[in-house]
Amino acid sequence: MNTVKHREACGICDQEKEKGIHLYNLFICCECEQKMVHTEPQEAQYQFYLNKLKNINKSTLYS
Ligand SMILES: [Zn+2]
């Protein structure tokens, strides 16, 4: 018997993960969520995450 697990591609790391959160239409895996929480605004990664999150706002404007 196969157990079908729900996997989704993370919008940040593009890898399919089972656990994560949904931010509007974007799926963010647990690992990326934790990284985002612990990223300081002065870090280069922060801008990277911000750009990803900007895409969410764009798409929800038209919904
Ligand atoms: Zn991820």
Side-chain angles (χ1 to χ4, degrees), residues 1-56:
M1 283 232 313
N2 288 328
T3 321
V4 180
K5 284 185 179 170
H6 184 65
R7 282 176 159 257
E8 266 188 90
C10 170
I12 307 291
C13 63
D14 286 329
Q15 292 186 33
E16 291 196 351
K17 299 286 171 78
E18 287 164 27
K19 287 184 183 175
I21 55 155
H22 282 103
L23 221 61
Y24 301 97
N25 61 333
L26 189 77
F27 174 74
I28 301 172
C29 73
C30 279
E31 290 152 53
C32 288
E33 190 217 342
Q34 284 303 304
K35 279 184 211 163
M36 281 172 71
V37 168
H38 296 291
T39 303
E40 299 293 326
Q42 63 266 27
E43 288 179 55
Q45 271 304 87
Y46 192 83
Q47 199 59 44
F48 170 77
Y49 291 134
L50 268 189
N51 285 333
K52 293 278 185 185
L53 295 177
K54 265 183 207 163
N55 293 332
I56 308 173

